[in-house]
Amino acid sequence: MRRCLVIGCGPDVWSEVAEAEAMTDFDAVICVKLAGVFWPRPFYAWATLHPEFMPRYTAMRDERGYPGGHQIVGPLEAELGTKNRAFHVDRRLSYRWKGMNASGASGLYGVKIAMDDGFDQIVCAGIPMTSEPHFARNLSSWKERGSFMRGWELALPILKGRVKSMSGWTREKLGAPTPEWLAG
């Protein structure tokens, strides 16, 4: 049984990470967007739907003196706008499963990477898909949320049983991880 923790940018991400790690040891961590800037330990992959942000995010992580060794994973070139193709990623992987016609934002992309890479149990921390702002942004709300809900709805049948979430709408839809579930 291989377990992966996918770390997003929700407002309570770090307390959710601590709670998840108290339940089990994870075989890998995938950071999503800005979470990779602030995660102080090594991790497996850095998921991004926006390769154009990665030079700045990588520089911010380097300025903090945090370790490297992770791979940057971005969408297929055909799924990107023309300007984003120029930015380097280590690996390209579609952000959609077959039959999907919508994105579920970067959090769902991190989950897809974990599933495609063969992880059996995936726990989302900081991916509530609620309207609260991301932890690293000074916004009154996450206005884009509604446009990404369709992607999650389309993916729910694929995620059920393999993916759990620590909070929010994703926890309501997928359930919360428990020590029993994590024990297999």
Side-chain angles (χ1 to χ4, degrees):
M1 190 70 67
R2 294 179 64 219
R3 294 174 196 86
C4 184
L5 179 63
V6 179
I7 303 174
C9 298
D12 298 319
V13 61
W14 306 120
S15 62
E16 293 177 22
V17 166
E19 187 180 341
E21 288 187 317
M23 285 189 265
T24 194
D25 293 323
F26 289 92
D27 299 297
V29 170
I30 294 176
C31 289
V32 174
K33 292 173 48 175
L34 279 167
V37 171
F38 296 96
W39 180 251
R41 295 181 270 172
F43 58 99
Y44 171 71
W46 200 340
T48 183
L49 291 174
H50 295 280
E52 71 272 21
F53 298 154
M54 295 313 292
R56 182 169 55 102
Y57 289 175
T58 300
M60 291 168 67
R61 181 173 176 80
D62 291 347
E63 287 171 10
R64 294 174 178 279
Y66 294 160
H70 50 270
Q71 59 180 315
I72 296 173
V73 184
L76 301 174
E77 287 192 11
E79 296 174 340
L80 295 173
T82 305
K83 70 174 186 149
N84 293 336
R85 292 186 187 138
F87 292 93
H88 169 79
V89 298
D90 299 309
R91 180 166 57 121
R92 295 201 180 274
L93 180 69
S94 178
Y95 67 85
R96 297 176 289 206
W97 282 276
K98 186 176 176 144
M100 283 184 68
N101 61 0
S103 169
S106 298
L108 183 58
Y109 187 47
V111 169
K112 185 174 186 298
I113 293 166
M115 291 180 80
D116 284 6
D117 286 359
F119 290 94
D120 306 295
Q121 294 177 315
I122 299 148
V123 175
C124 298
I127 308 176
M129 291 304 293
T130 54
S131 60
E132 289 86 14
H134 292 66
F135 76 91
R137 289 188 182 174
N138 188 14
L139 302 172
S140 59
S141 68
W142 185 40
K143 295 179 178 119
E144 299 91 353
R145 172 201 179 255
S147 65
F148 297 117
M149 299 310 288
R150 179 161 168 68
W152 279 90
E153 291 284 355
L154 291 168
L156 283 174
I158 298 165
L159 308 178
K160 292 277 184 174
R162 286 184 64 189
V163 181
K164 302 287 183 179
S165 178
M166 299 301 294
S167 67
W169 180 86
T170 53
R171 181 177 174 142
E172 291 172 20
K173 295 292 185 178
L174 299 167
T178 63
E180 297 76 25
W181 178 75
L182 289 162

